[in-house]
Amino acid sequence: MDVTILRELAAKHHASCFVTTEKDMVRLTKTQRERLEQTGPVLAAGLTVRLLEPEAVLAALETRLEQRGA
């Protein structure tokens, strides 16, 4: 999304900061980040994934890799 639009939306909704994922934070250019920070700080939320059934996920991944010939 365009930084100008984000800044306009922040002003419209009285936002005091921006929150993004760590993955998307590193994708912001220096200029984009500086422009966003004119409105408020840009914060990165760290995300952790915990699998409920890790063995099933690993088995499915191994099957998928075998099908691809990896």
Side-chain angles (χ1 to χ4, degrees):
M1 185 173 278
D2 183 79
V3 172
T4 302
I5 294 171
L6 288 172
R7 292 186 65 210
E8 289 171 357
L9 287 169
K12 177 180 176 182
H13 296 284
H14 309 288
S16 58
C17 69
F18 295 95
V19 179
T20 187
T21 62
E22 292 171 328
K23 175 184 71 80
D24 289 334
M25 176 73 97
V26 299
R27 292 180 176 178
L28 291 173
T29 66
K30 181 180 177 185
T31 302
Q32 288 172 323
R33 188 170 175 164
E34 287 172 350
R35 288 188 58 215
L36 289 172
E37 288 175 339
Q38 291 173 355
T39 300
V42 180
L43 309 171
L47 303 177
T48 301
V49 175
R50 182 177 48 189
L51 302 172
L52 298 176
E53 298 180 29
E55 295 83 11
V57 173
L58 182 57
L61 179 59
E62 288 173 340
T63 299
R64 178 88 171 173
L65 290 172
E66 288 171 1
Q67 290 173 347
R68 291 182 140 198

